[in-house]
Amino acid sequence: PSASRAHRPLAGASSQLSLASPPRQFMLPRFFGWPQLFDPAAADPAPTPFPRLAAWYSAMRAEPAVEAVRAEIWAYWEEMEAAGQFKPIVDEIAASADPTLKLTYGVPQAVQLNYQQPPPAGKGTGRYINQPDLG
C-alpha cells in the first residue's frame, strides 16, 4: 500500500495508532495462546482473527517513526519479561486446571443472561428480574 493509504485508519478505528497494542501483541500470544493478532502472515496457533487490522498495522509499521516507537516499547516488554515481571501470570495460568480462564484464546465464554423476563403485553423488550417495570 502507498504511504498515504497506511495513514488512513480502518472504518471505525481511531485515527491514531494506539500504543496499547504492543502489550497485546506481547502478552496475549505468550501467555494466553492467542495468535499474533497484528501479523497478517501468522499461522500458529491460528491465523489472526483480524486480517484487515493486521494488514493496516503492518502498513503502519512500515513508517520509520511508528516502527521506532514500537521497537522501543517492545524492547521494554522483553526486559520486563527477562526480569520476571510476568512470572506470576505464567505461574497462575500453569497452576489453573480451568480451561476457561478469561483471556484464554479459543475457549468460548459462557455468559449468563438471566436478567430479562419476557416483555409485558404491549412492550418490545424484557425487563430486569425482580425490578419494577419503569415504563
Side-chain angles (χ1 to χ4, degrees), residues 71-129:
E72 184 178 332
I73 293 170
W74 194 267
Y76 174 72
W77 283 86
E78 287 178 329
E79 288 174 24
M80 289 174 51
E81 182 179 37
Q85 175 71 31
F86 307 114
K87 187 170 179 351
I89 295 171
V90 173
D91 291 348
E92 185 172 341
I93 293 168
S96 176
D98 182 1
T100 62
L101 290 173
K102 185 174 183 178
L103 295 175
T104 303
Y105 184 76
V107 178
Q109 300 295 314
V111 178
Q112 291 292 94
L113 298 177
N114 61 354
Y115 61 90
Q116 287 192 326
Q117 295 176 343
K123 302 280 182 163
T125 61
R127 59 193 174 124
Y128 289 98
I129 292 174

Side-chain angles (χ1 to χ4, degrees), residues 10-105:
L10 297 172
S14 169
S15 62
Q16 296 180 353
L17 177 65
S18 167
L19 295 181
S21 48
R24 286 185 213 115
Q25 286 177 280
F26 191 89
M27 295 179 77
L28 292 176
R30 277 178 167 77
F31 309 134
F32 298 100
W34 284 60
Q36 296 292 334
L37 298 178
F38 299 100
D39 180 357
D44 185 36
T48 177
F50 309 111
R52 291 184 64 215
L53 180 63
W56 172 81
Y57 189 70
S58 291
M60 288 298 297
R61 284 189 60 190
E63 296 292 326
V66 171
E67 182 56 24
V69 170
R70 192 210 66 85
E72 184 178 332
I73 293 170
W74 194 267
Y76 174 72
W77 283 86
E78 287 178 329
E79 288 174 24
M80 289 174 51
E81 182 179 37
Q85 175 71 31
F86 307 114
K87 187 170 179 351
I89 295 171
V90 173
D91 291 348
E92 185 172 341
I93 293 168
S96 176
D98 182 1
T100 62
L101 290 173
K102 185 174 183 178
L103 295 175
T104 303
Y105 184 76

